Amino acid sequence: MVTEGGTIGSAATLDAIRVFVALVAVAALAAIVVRRLKIPYTLTLVVLGLIAASVLPRGAFSVTPELVLLVLVPGLVFEAALRIEFDELRRTFGGIALLAAPGVIITAAIVALILNVATGLPPALGFVVGAMVAATDPVAVLAEFRHLGTPRRLATLVEGESLFNDGTALAVFVIAVQAVQTDVTWAEAVVSLAATVAASLFLGLATGWLASRVIASVDDHLIELTVSLAAAYGTYLLADAVHWSGIVATVVAGVVIGNYGRKLGMSPRTEEALDFTWEFMAYLLTAFAFLLVGASITVGELVAALPWIAWGVIAILVGRAVVIYGLLGGVSRLPAFGGAGRISIGWLHVLFWAGLRGAVAVAMALSLPVDFPQRALLQQITFGIVLFTLFVQGSTAQRVVVAAKAVERPEPLVDPVL
């Protein structure tokens, strides 16, 4: 509302607009600078967020879990899912399923065990931390691997894991929090998790199919883009409203539209507009996500939690090693695969180091109930782990890919069965 003096009546609205414009300007300037300095763009954004959190008055702008999970994540995972080719997803689905389901639970359990033995943190609280940091974050992983020139199947394995296991981790996180606050048996937790994932898959298939049919029925790229936007955020919000996994549902919807929808009735102009528009949206959302990750972390509070953070970092590295080299690498070498399904040790190294954590882990930490036991400590452990993976693993990921010789080459390294 505009007053007689020409000012906007709602101060909150004006502040939100100012923050949005400032974030866009900072993201653009950062992109220009890092192109000249050749340093990781996402790490620069996190540093800028940390600086902003230290310089600006506390509470100048708040980073809420709703902002990350309802505004940033749906668009990011939908754009990534649009680019996944179904044939490649099918060939690597066995590996993705291992990493996205048992991999998440194994990592969470290892984190809980190590934190309990090393620091005395109760196992139930350690498992909550494990759930928050168990999944590789699509915001972080996709931003770091998009331009590395890795083979398509390896990229699909990395992207597919990062997309699907966030949904699993969120479901495990909700159950873990409930287990601390109420009496939830392991049997009930497993049934709840399986039901949530299955229902979310079905919802994503239904909304993706419906959106694809609507897109095929019109021949206007603007309308078709609008339908894709409604499908991305509508699927997430619908799943969230019924307490299912919005990430899983949105990923499935994106895969359906990106494959079935394209073949059903998209014109070349629509495909080009769809890819360009969602690439631009993902670029902006990625920039916002990393700026907000940095802005939500207070460096001073991390220092006091350094012993717990150090053990947490050790725990996630151990958990990642067990899942990648033991679970995935071991299964790919079973006699049932006849040796043809082996994933090369170089690829396993890349997958191990690709376990970055980011905005989704931060959002889960922020969403812990105010009266949750040792809430501040659990948040600082999570924030510290996120910073370690972004700065240490994120800044060296390209070197690992090159050293592992995980570059594009004609012969397949992952068997279709896996």
Side-chain angles (χ1 to χ4, degrees), residues 174-225:
V174 171
I175 294 171
V177 170
Q178 291 175 347
V180 172
Q181 298 180 316
T182 61
D183 294 326
V184 177
T185 66
W186 282 106
E188 292 173 336
V190 171
V191 171
S192 176
L193 176 61
T196 297
V197 173
S200 303
L201 286 169
F202 177 79
L203 177 63
L205 287 171
T207 55
W209 177 85
L210 179 61
S212 297
R213 301 298 298 186
V214 173
I215 289 173
S217 68
V218 296
D219 189 21
D220 186 317
H221 68 283
L222 294 178
I223 296 176
E224 293 170 277
L225 284 172

mmCIF file of all heavy atoms in Angstrom, residues 174-225:
data_model
loop_
_atom_site.group_PDB
_atom_site.id
_atom_site.type_symbol
_atom_site.label_atom_id
_atom_site.label_comp_id
_atom_site.label_asym_id
_atom_site.label_seq_id
_atom_site.Cartn_x
_atom_site.Cartn_y
_atom_site.Cartn_z
ATOM 1 N N VAL A 174 12.613 -36.464 10.985
ATOM 2 C CA VAL A 174 11.318 -36.267 11.654
ATOM 3 C C VAL A 174 11.053 -37.399 12.643
ATOM 4 O O VAL A 174 10.624 -37.170 13.781
ATOM 5 C CB VAL A 174 10.183 -36.180 10.612
ATOM 6 C CG1 VAL A 174 8.816 -36.208 11.303
ATOM 7 C CG2 VAL A 174 10.331 -34.911 9.782
ATOM 8 N N ILE A 175 11.321 -38.619 12.226
ATOM 9 C CA ILE A 175 11.105 -39.774 13.104
ATOM 10 C C ILE A 175 12.061 -39.728 14.294
ATOM 11 O O ILE A 175 11.673 -40.028 15.435
ATOM 12 C CB ILE A 175 11.287 -41.086 12.315
ATOM 13 C CG1 ILE A 175 10.187 -41.215 11.247
ATOM 14 C CG2 ILE A 175 11.258 -42.295 13.249
ATOM 15 C CD1 ILE A 175 10.409 -42.347 10.279
ATOM 16 N N ALA A 176 13.323 -39.338 14.060
ATOM 17 C CA ALA A 176 14.305 -39.262 15.145
ATOM 18 C C ALA A 176 13.906 -38.218 16.184
ATOM 19 O O ALA A 176 14.056 -38.439 17.396
ATOM 20 C CB ALA A 176 15.686 -38.941 14.573
ATOM 21 N N VAL A 177 13.409 -37.079 15.726
ATOM 22 C CA VAL A 177 12.957 -36.036 16.659
ATOM 23 C C VAL A 177 11.760 -36.532 17.462
ATOM 24 O O VAL A 177 11.679 -36.320 18.682
ATOM 25 C CB VAL A 177 12.607 -34.747 15.887
ATOM 26 C CG1 VAL A 177 11.912 -33.738 16.804
ATOM 27 C CG2 VAL A 177 13.866 -34.131 15.292
ATOM 28 N N GLN A 178 10.830 -37.192 16.787
ATOM 29 C CA GLN A 178 9.673 -37.744 17.483
ATOM 30 C C GLN A 178 10.090 -38.790 18.507
ATOM 31 O O GLN A 178 9.503 -38.874 19.596
ATOM 32 C CB GLN A 178 8.699 -38.360 16.478
ATOM 33 C CG GLN A 178 7.991 -37.350 15.583
ATOM 34 C CD GLN A 178 7.122 -38.014 14.532
ATOM 35 O OE1 GLN A 178 7.207 -39.224 14.301
ATOM 36 N NE2 GLN A 178 6.286 -37.216 13.878
ATOM 37 N N ALA A 179 11.109 -39.583 18.183
ATOM 38 C CA ALA A 179 11.566 -40.629 19.101
ATOM 39 C C ALA A 179 12.139 -40.039 20.379
ATOM 40 O O ALA A 179 12.023 -40.644 21.453
ATOM 41 C CB ALA A 179 12.608 -41.503 18.417
ATOM 42 N N VAL A 180 12.765 -38.850 20.285
ATOM 43 C CA VAL A 180 13.304 -38.184 21.475
ATOM 44 C C VAL A 180 12.173 -37.630 22.337
ATOM 45 O O VAL A 180 12.220 -37.703 23.563
ATOM 46 C CB VAL A 180 14.270 -37.053 21.077
ATOM 47 C CG1 VAL A 180 14.687 -36.240 22.302
ATOM 48 C CG2 VAL A 180 15.498 -37.627 20.389
ATOM 49 N N GLN A 181 11.148 -37.104 21.688
ATOM 50 C CA GLN A 181 10.081 -36.440 22.420
ATOM 51 C C GLN A 181 8.938 -37.368 22.807
ATOM 52 O O GLN A 181 8.170 -37.061 23.716
ATOM 53 C CB GLN A 181 9.530 -35.271 21.581
ATOM 54 C CG GLN A 181 10.581 -34.200 21.293
ATOM 55 C CD GLN A 181 10.031 -33.054 20.471
ATOM 56 O OE1 GLN A 181 9.312 -33.267 19.494
ATOM 57 N NE2 GLN A 181 10.349 -31.841 20.872
ATOM 58 N N THR A 182 8.796 -38.487 22.100
ATOM 59 C CA THR A 182 7.726 -39.436 22.397
ATOM 60 C C THR A 182 8.279 -40.851 22.381
ATOM 61 O O THR A 182 9.473 -41.058 22.173
ATOM 62 C CB THR A 182 6.587 -39.319 21.361
ATOM 63 O OG1 THR A 182 7.110 -39.619 20.064
ATOM 64 C CG2 THR A 182 5.972 -37.921 21.354
ATOM 65 N N ASP A 183 7.426 -41.821 22.605
ATOM 66 C CA ASP A 183 7.838 -43.223 22.557
ATOM 67 C C ASP A 183 7.480 -43.815 21.194
ATOM 68 O O ASP A 183 6.327 -44.158 20.925
ATOM 69 C CB ASP A 183 7.146 -44.026 23.669
ATOM 70 C CG ASP A 183 7.603 -43.580 25.041
ATOM 71 O OD1 ASP A 183 8.780 -43.211 25.175
ATOM 72 O OD2 ASP A 183 6.779 -43.589 25.992
ATOM 73 N N VAL A 184 8.491 -43.920 20.326
ATOM 74 C CA VAL A 184 8.306 -44.492 18.994
ATOM 75 C C VAL A 184 9.200 -45.724 18.880
ATOM 76 O O VAL A 184 10.415 -45.635 19.089
ATOM 77 C CB VAL A 184 8.664 -43.479 17.884
ATOM 78 C CG1 VAL A 184 8.527 -44.124 16.520
ATOM 79 C CG2 VAL A 184 7.782 -42.249 17.985
ATOM 80 N N THR A 185 8.617 -46.855 18.561
ATOM 81 C CA THR A 185 9.401 -48.089 18.428
ATOM 82 C C THR A 185 10.104 -48.108 17.077
ATOM 83 O O THR A 185 9.706 -47.414 16.128
ATOM 84 C CB THR A 185 8.505 -49.318 18.564
ATOM 85 O OG1 THR A 185 7.598 -49.365 17.448
ATOM 86 C CG2 THR A 185 7.717 -49.280 19.871
ATOM 87 N N TRP A 186 11.155 -48.945 16.982
ATOM 88 C CA TRP A 186 11.876 -49.071 15.719
ATOM 89 C C TRP A 186 10.965 -49.609 14.619
ATOM 90 O O TRP A 186 11.058 -49.170 13.462
ATOM 91 C CB TRP A 186 13.076 -49.997 15.903
ATOM 92 C CG TRP A 186 14.222 -49.329 16.584
ATOM 93 C CD1 TRP A 186 14.644 -49.500 17.869
ATOM 94 C CD2 TRP A 186 15.103 -48.345 16.006
ATOM 95 N NE1 TRP A 186 15.733 -48.688 18.138
ATOM 96 C CE2 TRP A 186 16.046 -47.982 17.005
ATOM 97 C CE3 TRP A 186 15.201 -47.752 14.754
ATOM 98 C CZ2 TRP A 186 17.052 -47.052 16.792
ATOM 99 C CZ3 TRP A 186 16.211 -46.826 14.532
ATOM 100 C CH2 TRP A 186 17.113 -46.486 15.533
ATOM 101 N N ALA A 187 10.090 -50.538 14.967
ATOM 102 C CA ALA A 187 9.183 -51.098 13.965
ATOM 103 C C ALA A 187 8.264 -50.014 13.408
ATOM 104 O O ALA A 187 8.042 -49.929 12.193
ATOM 105 C CB ALA A 187 8.357 -52.227 14.581
ATOM 106 N N GLU A 188 7.733 -49.193 14.304
ATOM 107 C CA GLU A 188 6.859 -48.096 13.863
ATOM 108 C C GLU A 188 7.628 -47.109 12.991
ATOM 109 O O GLU A 188 7.093 -46.589 12.002
ATOM 110 C CB GLU A 188 6.277 -47.382 15.081
ATOM 111 C CG GLU A 188 5.288 -48.201 15.884
ATOM 112 C CD GLU A 188 4.867 -47.515 17.168
ATOM 113 O OE1 GLU A 188 5.639 -46.664 17.673
ATOM 114 O OE2 GLU A 188 3.771 -47.819 17.674
ATOM 115 N N ALA A 189 8.883 -46.846 13.360
ATOM 116 C CA ALA A 189 9.696 -45.898 12.597
ATOM 117 C C ALA A 189 9.956 -46.411 11.184
ATOM 118 O O ALA A 189 9.851 -45.662 10.201
ATOM 119 C CB ALA A 189 11.015 -45.649 13.320
ATOM 120 N N VAL A 190 10.298 -47.705 11.061
ATOM 121 C CA VAL A 190 10.573 -48.283 9.744
ATOM 122 C C VAL A 190 9.325 -48.273 8.874
ATOM 123 O O VAL A 190 9.379 -47.911 7.682
ATOM 124 C CB VAL A 190 11.102 -49.726 9.897
ATOM 125 C CG1 VAL A 190 11.185 -50.412 8.539
ATOM 126 C CG2 VAL A 190 12.467 -49.726 10.569
ATOM 127 N N VAL A 191 8.200 -48.653 9.437
ATOM 128 C CA VAL A 191 6.939 -48.649 8.687
ATOM 129 C C VAL A 191 6.584 -47.238 8.240
ATOM 130 O O VAL A 191 6.170 -47.008 7.094
ATOM 131 C CB VAL A 191 5.801 -49.252 9.535
ATOM 132 C CG1 VAL A 191 4.459 -49.047 8.842
ATOM 133 C CG2 VAL A 191 6.051 -50.733 9.783
ATOM 134 N N SER A 192 6.745 -46.278 9.142
ATOM 135 C CA SER A 192 6.441 -44.879 8.811
ATOM 136 C C SER A 192 7.323 -44.368 7.694
ATOM 137 O O SER A 192 6.858 -43.695 6.761
ATOM 138 C CB SER A 192 6.606 -44.010 10.058
ATOM 139 O OG SER A 192 6.407 -42.649 9.757
ATOM 140 N N LEU A 193 8.628 -44.695 7.764
ATOM 141 C CA LEU A 193 9.558 -44.244 6.730
ATOM 142 C C LEU A 193 9.206 -44.854 5.380
ATOM 143 O O LEU A 193 9.163 -44.146 4.357
ATOM 144 C CB LEU A 193 10.982 -44.625 7.125
ATOM 145 C CG LEU A 193 12.087 -44.305 6.108
ATOM 146 C CD1 LEU A 193 12.160 -42.807 5.853
ATOM 147 C CD2 LEU A 193 13.433 -44.826 6.600
ATOM 148 N N ALA A 194 8.956 -46.156 5.343
ATOM 149 C CA ALA A 194 8.625 -46.829 4.086
ATOM 150 C C ALA A 194 7.332 -46.285 3.492
ATOM 151 O O ALA A 194 7.238 -46.047 2.273
ATOM 152 C CB ALA A 194 8.505 -48.334 4.317
ATOM 153 N N ALA A 195 6.331 -46.070 4.337
ATOM 154 C CA ALA A 195 5.051 -45.552 3.859
ATOM 155 C C ALA A 195 5.196 -44.140 3.312
ATOM 156 O O ALA A 195 4.606 -43.788 2.274
ATOM 157 C CB ALA A 195 4.020 -45.578 4.996
ATOM 158 N N THR A 196 5.999 -43.326 3.984
ATOM 159 C CA THR A 196 6.201 -41.945 3.541
ATOM 160 C C THR A 196 6.875 -41.895 2.175
ATOM 161 O O THR A 196 6.446 -41.150 1.278
ATOM 162 C CB THR A 196 7.059 -41.183 4.565
ATOM 163 O OG1 THR A 196 6.360 -41.120 5.814
ATOM 164 C CG2 THR A 196 7.353 -39.767 4.087
ATOM 165 N N VAL A 197 7.935 -42.677 1.994
ATOM 166 C CA VAL A 197 8.654 -42.688 0.722
ATOM 167 C C VAL A 197 7.771 -43.218 -0.400
ATOM 168 O O VAL A 197 7.723 -42.649 -1.502
ATOM 169 C CB VAL A 197 9.942 -43.529 0.848
ATOM 170 C CG1 VAL A 197 10.602 -43.689 -0.525
ATOM 171 C CG2 VAL A 197 10.915 -42.879 1.819
ATOM 172 N N ALA A 198 7.039 -44.309 -0.135
ATOM 173 C CA ALA A 198 6.162 -44.892 -1.163
ATOM 174 C C ALA A 198 5.062 -43.914 -1.571
ATOM 175 O O ALA A 198 4.794 -43.729 -2.774
ATOM 176 C CB ALA A 198 5.548 -46.195 -0.642
ATOM 177 N N ALA A 199 4.442 -43.280 -0.600
ATOM 178 C CA ALA A 199 3.377 -42.316 -0.907
ATOM 179 C C ALA A 199 3.928 -41.123 -1.679
ATOM 180 O O ALA A 199 3.288 -40.619 -2.613
ATOM 181 C CB ALA A 199 2.715 -41.850 0.393
ATOM 182 N N SER A 200 5.122 -40.676 -1.315
ATOM 183 C CA SER A 200 5.729 -39.532 -2.000
ATOM 184 C C SER A 200 6.078 -39.879 -3.443
ATOM 185 O O SER A 200 5.900 -39.043 -4.348
ATOM 186 C CB SER A 200 6.987 -39.087 -1.243
ATOM 187 O OG SER A 200 6.697 -38.777 0.099
ATOM 188 N N LEU A 201 6.573 -41.098 -3.666
ATOM 189 C CA LEU A 201 6.854 -41.540 -5.029
ATOM 190 C C LEU A 201 5.589 -41.530 -5.883
ATOM 191 O O LEU A 201 5.592 -41.052 -7.025
ATOM 192 C CB LEU A 201 7.460 -42.946 -5.011
ATOM 193 C CG LEU A 201 8.909 -43.067 -4.549
ATOM 194 C CD1 LEU A 201 9.269 -44.534 -4.329
ATOM 195 C CD2 LEU A 201 9.856 -42.449 -5.578
ATOM 196 N N PHE A 202 4.509 -42.050 -5.328
ATOM 197 C CA PHE A 202 3.248 -42.105 -6.062
ATOM 198 C C PHE A 202 2.742 -40.691 -6.370
ATOM 199 O O PHE A 202 2.281 -40.414 -7.486
ATOM 200 C CB PHE A 202 2.199 -42.863 -5.254
ATOM 201 C CG PHE A 202 0.849 -42.905 -5.906
ATOM 202 C CD1 PHE A 202 0.578 -43.791 -6.949
ATOM 203 C CD2 PHE A 202 -0.164 -42.034 -5.501
ATOM 204 C CE1 PHE A 202 -0.664 -43.814 -7.557
ATOM 205 C CE2 PHE A 202 -1.409 -42.057 -6.109
ATOM 206 C CZ PHE A 202 -1.661 -42.951 -7.144
ATOM 207 N N LEU A 203 2.836 -39.802 -5.389
ATOM 208 C CA LEU A 203 2.385 -38.423 -5.607
ATOM 209 C C LEU A 203 3.198 -37.755 -6.707
ATOM 210 O O LEU A 203 2.640 -37.064 -7.576
ATOM 211 C CB LEU A 203 2.507 -37.626 -4.307
ATOM 212 C CG LEU A 203 2.144 -36.133 -4.399
ATOM 213 C CD1 LEU A 203 0.671 -35.958 -4.786
ATOM 214 C CD2 LEU A 203 2.429 -35.424 -3.072
ATOM 215 N N GLY A 204 4.523 -37.944 -6.689
ATOM 216 C CA GLY A 204 5.364 -37.359 -7.728
ATOM 217 C C GLY A 204 5.039 -37.890 -9.108
ATOM 218 O O GLY A 204 5.005 -37.138 -10.085
ATOM 219 N N LEU A 205 4.779 -39.201 -9.202
ATOM 220 C CA LEU A 205 4.383 -39.790 -10.480
ATOM 221 C C LEU A 205 3.076 -39.178 -10.975
ATOM 222 O O LEU A 205 2.938 -38.852 -12.163
ATOM 223 C CB LEU A 205 4.232 -41.302 -10.335
ATOM 224 C CG LEU A 205 5.524 -42.114 -10.213
ATOM 225 C CD1 LEU A 205 5.207 -43.566 -9.849
ATOM 226 C CD2 LEU A 205 6.321 -42.068 -11.516
ATOM 227 N N ALA A 206 2.113 -39.026 -10.078
ATOM 228 C CA ALA A 206 0.790 -38.504 -10.460
ATOM 229 C C ALA A 206 0.879 -37.051 -10.915
ATOM 230 O O ALA A 206 0.339 -36.688 -11.970
ATOM 231 C CB ALA A 206 -0.173 -38.646 -9.281
ATOM 232 N N THR A 207 1.559 -36.205 -10.149
ATOM 233 C CA THR A 207 1.638 -34.789 -10.525
ATOM 234 C C THR A 207 2.503 -34.595 -11.762
ATOM 235 O O THR A 207 2.214 -33.746 -12.603
ATOM 236 C CB THR A 207 2.201 -33.953 -9.359
ATOM 237 O OG1 THR A 207 3.468 -34.488 -8.944
ATOM 238 C CG2 THR A 207 1.243 -33.956 -8.176
ATOM 239 N N GLY A 208 3.571 -35.389 -11.888
ATOM 240 C CA GLY A 208 4.411 -35.288 -13.082
ATOM 241 C C GLY A 208 3.655 -35.704 -14.329
ATOM 242 O O GLY A 208 3.761 -35.058 -15.379
ATOM 243 N N TRP A 209 2.862 -36.799 -14.233
ATOM 244 C CA TRP A 209 2.067 -37.260 -15.367
ATOM 245 C C TRP A 209 1.015 -36.218 -15.731
ATOM 246 O O TRP A 209 0.835 -35.892 -16.916
ATOM 247 C CB TRP A 209 1.376 -38.580 -15.023
ATOM 248 C CG TRP A 209 0.475 -39.098 -16.103
ATOM 249 C CD1 TRP A 209 0.822 -39.850 -17.183
ATOM 250 C CD2 TRP A 209 -0.947 -38.871 -16.222
ATOM 251 N NE1 TRP A 209 -0.272 -40.120 -17.963
ATOM 252 C CE2 TRP A 209 -1.373 -39.522 -17.409
ATOM 253 C CE3 TRP A 209 -1.879 -38.176 -15.448
ATOM 254 C CZ2 TRP A 209 -2.707 -39.502 -17.816
ATOM 255 C CZ3 TRP A 209 -3.207 -38.157 -15.860
ATOM 256 C CH2 TRP A 209 -3.613 -38.819 -17.035
ATOM 257 N N LEU A 210 0.325 -35.668 -14.727
ATOM 258 C CA LEU A 210 -0.719 -34.675 -14.992
ATOM 259 C C LEU A 210 -0.136 -33.425 -15.639
ATOM 260 O O LEU A 210 -0.686 -32.906 -16.628
ATOM 261 C CB LEU A 210 -1.424 -34.307 -13.681
ATOM 262 C CG LEU A 210 -2.540 -33.253 -13.787
ATOM 263 C CD1 LEU A 210 -3.648 -33.743 -14.704
ATOM 264 C CD2 LEU A 210 -3.096 -32.917 -12.406
ATOM 265 N N ALA A 211 0.980 -32.933 -15.110
ATOM 266 C CA ALA A 211 1.602 -31.741 -15.683
ATOM 267 C C ALA A 211 2.066 -32.005 -17.116
ATOM 268 O O ALA A 211 1.930 -31.136 -17.989
ATOM 269 C CB ALA A 211 2.786 -31.308 -14.817
ATOM 270 N N SER A 212 2.589 -33.203 -17.369
ATOM 271 C CA SER A 212 3.030 -33.548 -18.724
ATOM 272 C C SER A 212 1.865 -33.548 -19.693
ATOM 273 O O SER A 212 1.987 -33.077 -20.844
ATOM 274 C CB SER A 212 3.707 -34.930 -18.719
ATOM 275 O OG SER A 212 4.868 -34.926 -17.921
ATOM 276 N N ARG A 213 0.723 -34.073 -19.271
ATOM 277 C CA ARG A 213 -0.464 -34.088 -20.135
ATOM 278 C C ARG A 213 -0.962 -32.667 -20.414
ATOM 279 O O ARG A 213 -1.354 -32.352 -21.544
ATOM 280 C CB ARG A 213 -1.580 -34.906 -19.478
ATOM 281 C CG ARG A 213 -1.243 -36.360 -19.167
ATOM 282 C CD ARG A 213 -0.933 -37.178 -20.401
ATOM 283 N NE ARG A 213 -2.046 -37.263 -21.325
ATOM 284 C CZ ARG A 213 -2.064 -38.018 -22.417
ATOM 285 N NH1 ARG A 213 -0.981 -38.759 -22.705
ATOM 286 N NH2 ARG A 213 -3.096 -38.044 -23.230
ATOM 287 N N VAL A 214 -0.938 -31.826 -19.393
ATOM 288 C CA VAL A 214 -1.376 -30.436 -19.586
ATOM 289 C C VAL A 214 -0.435 -29.718 -20.535
ATOM 290 O O VAL A 214 -0.868 -28.986 -21.444
ATOM 291 C CB VAL A 214 -1.453 -29.699 -18.234
ATOM 292 C CG1 VAL A 214 -1.749 -28.215 -18.454
ATOM 293 C CG2 VAL A 214 -2.523 -30.314 -17.351
ATOM 294 N N ILE A 215 0.871 -29.905 -20.358
ATOM 295 C CA ILE A 215 1.856 -29.268 -21.238
ATOM 296 C C ILE A 215 1.667 -29.718 -22.683
ATOM 297 O O ILE A 215 1.763 -28.917 -23.626
ATOM 298 C CB ILE A 215 3.287 -29.589 -20.747
ATOM 299 C CG1 ILE A 215 3.579 -28.846 -19.447
ATOM 300 C CG2 ILE A 215 4.327 -29.246 -21.812
ATOM 301 C CD1 ILE A 215 4.884 -29.223 -18.792
ATOM 302 N N ALA A 216 1.368 -31.001 -22.882
ATOM 303 C CA ALA A 216 1.177 -31.528 -24.234
ATOM 304 C C ALA A 216 -0.090 -30.999 -24.891
ATOM 305 O O ALA A 216 -0.209 -30.997 -26.117
ATOM 306 C CB ALA A 216 1.132 -33.053 -24.194
ATOM 307 N N SER A 217 -1.036 -30.540 -24.085
ATOM 308 C CA SER A 217 -2.327 -30.098 -24.627
ATOM 309 C C SER A 217 -2.309 -28.646 -25.106
ATOM 310 O O SER A 217 -3.263 -28.188 -25.727
ATOM 311 C CB SER A 217 -3.424 -30.260 -23.569
ATOM 312 O OG SER A 217 -3.226 -29.350 -22.489
ATOM 313 N N VAL A 218 -1.239 -27.906 -24.796
ATOM 314 C CA VAL A 218 -1.148 -26.513 -25.229
ATOM 315 C C VAL A 218 0.097 -26.327 -26.067
ATOM 316 O O VAL A 218 1.022 -27.144 -26.035
ATOM 317 C CB VAL A 218 -1.118 -25.552 -24.012
ATOM 318 C CG1 VAL A 218 -2.414 -25.637 -23.234
ATOM 319 C CG2 VAL A 218 0.072 -25.855 -23.112
ATOM 320 N N ASP A 219 0.134 -25.247 -26.820
ATOM 321 C CA ASP A 219 1.290 -24.960 -27.668
ATOM 322 C C ASP A 219 1.727 -23.523 -27.443
ATOM 323 O O ASP A 219 1.782 -22.714 -28.371
ATOM 324 C CB ASP A 219 0.941 -25.194 -29.145
ATOM 325 C CG ASP A 219 2.183 -25.105 -30.038
ATOM 326 O OD1 ASP A 219 3.294 -25.267 -29.487
ATOM 327 O OD2 ASP A 219 2.042 -24.869 -31.241
ATOM 328 N N ASP A 220 1.991 -23.224 -26.184
ATOM 329 C CA ASP A 220 2.436 -21.886 -25.799
ATOM 330 C C ASP A 220 3.514 -22.063 -24.731
ATOM 331 O O ASP A 220 3.227 -22.545 -23.629
ATOM 332 C CB ASP A 220 1.265 -21.067 -25.249
ATOM 333 C CG ASP A 220 1.637 -19.620 -24.979
ATOM 334 O OD1 ASP A 220 2.731 -19.385 -24.423
ATOM 335 O OD2 ASP A 220 0.832 -18.721 -25.291
ATOM 336 N N HIS A 221 4.742 -21.700 -25.061
ATOM 337 C CA HIS A 221 5.844 -21.996 -24.149
ATOM 338 C C HIS A 221 5.712 -21.270 -22.809
ATOM 339 O O HIS A 221 6.186 -21.757 -21.783
ATOM 340 C CB HIS A 221 7.187 -21.663 -24.811
ATOM 341 C CG HIS A 221 7.416 -20.205 -25.049
ATOM 342 N ND1 HIS A 221 6.818 -19.513 -26.081
ATOM 343 C CD2 HIS A 221 8.181 -19.304 -24.377
ATOM 344 C CE1 HIS A 221 7.213 -18.253 -26.057
ATOM 345 N NE2 HIS A 221 8.031 -18.098 -25.034
ATOM 346 N N LEU A 222 5.058 -20.096 -22.816
ATOM 347 C CA LEU A 222 4.878 -19.379 -21.553
ATOM 348 C C LEU A 222 3.928 -20.125 -20.618
ATOM 349 O O LEU A 222 4.173 -20.238 -19.420
ATOM 350 C CB LEU A 222 4.360 -17.964 -21.813
ATOM 351 C CG LEU A 222 5.317 -17.027 -22.558
ATOM 352 C CD1 LEU A 222 4.663 -15.680 -22.805
ATOM 353 C CD2 LEU A 222 6.614 -16.858 -21.761
ATOM 354 N N ILE A 223 2.839 -20.646 -21.191
ATOM 355 C CA ILE A 223 1.901 -21.429 -20.386
ATOM 356 C C ILE A 223 2.568 -22.715 -19.893
ATOM 357 O O ILE A 223 2.408 -23.128 -18.740
ATOM 358 C CB ILE A 223 0.630 -21.755 -21.193
ATOM 359 C CG1 ILE A 223 -0.120 -20.473 -21.553
ATOM 360 C CG2 ILE A 223 -0.281 -22.703 -20.408
ATOM 361 C CD1 ILE A 223 -1.335 -20.698 -22.427
ATOM 362 N N GLU A 224 3.326 -23.344 -20.779
ATOM 363 C CA GLU A 224 3.987 -24.596 -20.404
ATOM 364 C C GLU A 224 5.024 -24.372 -19.300
ATOM 365 O O GLU A 224 5.165 -25.199 -18.394
ATOM 366 C CB GLU A 224 4.635 -25.219 -21.648
ATOM 367 C CG GLU A 224 3.600 -25.688 -22.670
ATOM 368 C CD GLU A 224 4.222 -26.069 -23.998
ATOM 369 O OE1 GLU A 224 4.477 -25.164 -24.819
ATOM 370 O OE2 GLU A 224 4.453 -27.272 -24.213
ATOM 371 N N LEU A 225 5.738 -23.256 -19.350
ATOM 372 C CA LEU A 225 6.673 -22.929 -18.282
ATOM 373 C C LEU A 225 5.941 -22.686 -16.968
ATOM 374 O O LEU A 225 6.397 -23.093 -15.891
ATOM 375 C CB LEU A 225 7.484 -21.686 -18.649
ATOM 376 C CG LEU A 225 8.599 -21.867 -19.666
ATOM 377 C CD1 LEU A 225 9.184 -20.523 -20.068
ATOM 378 C CD2 LEU A 225 9.687 -22.760 -19.093
#
